[in-house]
Amino acid sequence: MNIKIVVVGKLKEKYLKQGIAEYTKRLSKFCKFKIIEVADEKAPEKLSHAEMEQVKEVEGARILNKIQSKEYVYALAILGKERSSEELADELQKLGTYGHSDITFIIGGSLGLSEAVLKRVEAQVSFGRFTLPHQLMRLVLTEQVYRSFMINAGSPYHK
């Protein structure tokens, strides 16, 4: 199985990089895992609605450029469906069983995802209504992907 996370922006915090590196190493036993960063669009603090949409479209085009047609794509979105760890594990296992061995998760920029990206995805995932920094969300998502594999392997890690 190939799992990829496409994210907008660069990761700067050393402690987050270390955490992600640890889970990436652990995931290597179960899948090919990678994180692909696309540039965030520079924008002033105060944007009009039209300017916000334009920023999302530029970032969205960069995201879509990193996704192939065969990939099953999840978008992280606050209005997406919340899942338990067990439900996500079950979904990933079923996808692998039924021919979707290339799975991609998208974490958008600070303004969210463009309509074009949202039309491309098969499913939207929410980690709740909290607002979390995008950089921290990378670590949380990476850990949840690892947890999914551990649940499916029957490991006591999940307890």
Side-chain angles (χ1 to χ4, degrees):
M1 183 174 278
N2 300 304
I3 297 190
K4 173 171 70 178
I5 301 175
V6 178
V7 298
V8 174
K10 293 247 181 255
L11 186 59
K12 298 172 185 91
E13 292 83 357
K14 185 178 177 183
Y15 70 96
L16 293 174
K17 287 181 180 179
Q18 290 171 330
I20 291 168
E22 176 62 27
Y23 287 113
T24 298
K25 184 175 85 178
R26 293 180 187 189
L27 277 164
S28 68
K29 297 174 191 157
F30 301 102
C31 66
K32 288 183 181 175
F33 178 81
K34 64 181 171 181
I35 296 177
I36 297 175
E37 295 178 337
V38 299
D40 55 342
E41 189 65 8
K42 303 296 177 222
E45 278 296 312
K46 304 233 185 226
L47 295 173
S48 69
H49 179 72
E51 289 170 324
M52 281 193 251
E53 291 302 312
Q54 184 173 1
V55 167
K56 289 196 298 188
E57 285 184 27
V58 171
E59 291 175 347
R62 292 175 184 152
I63 291 167
L64 291 171
N65 191 37
K66 302 296 181 186
I67 298 170
Q68 298 176 4
S69 60
K70 67 179 179 173
E71 295 172 21
Y72 188 96
V73 182
Y74 286 95
L76 272 63
I78 205 158
L79 298 176
K81 178 185 173 199
E82 290 185 34
R83 293 158 172 81
S84 67
S85 297
E86 294 87 356
E87 288 169 330
L88 181 61
D90 186 56
E91 277 185 44
L92 294 179
Q93 186 171 45
K94 285 179 179 168
L95 286 169
T97 300
Y98 295 105
H100 294 286
S101 59
D102 295 294
I103 299 169
T104 297
F105 291 88
I106 299 169
I107 302 174
S110 60
L111 299 176
L113 294 167
S114 69
E115 282 302 312
V117 171
L118 292 174
K119 285 179 182 166
R120 167 59 183 90
V121 306
E122 279 79 20
Q124 293 184 31
V125 175
S126 173
F127 280 74
R129 296 183 345 181
F130 291 115
T131 300
L132 295 172
H134 289 79
Q135 293 85 354
L136 178 58
M137 200 61 233
R138 290 186 204 193
L139 176 59
V140 172
L141 176 58
T142 303
E143 190 280 336
Q144 284 298 301
V145 170
Y146 174 71
R147 182 175 296 272
S148 293
F149 281 103
M150 296 306 285
I151 289 168
N152 290 335
S155 167
Y157 173 85
H158 179 57
K159 293 181 180 170

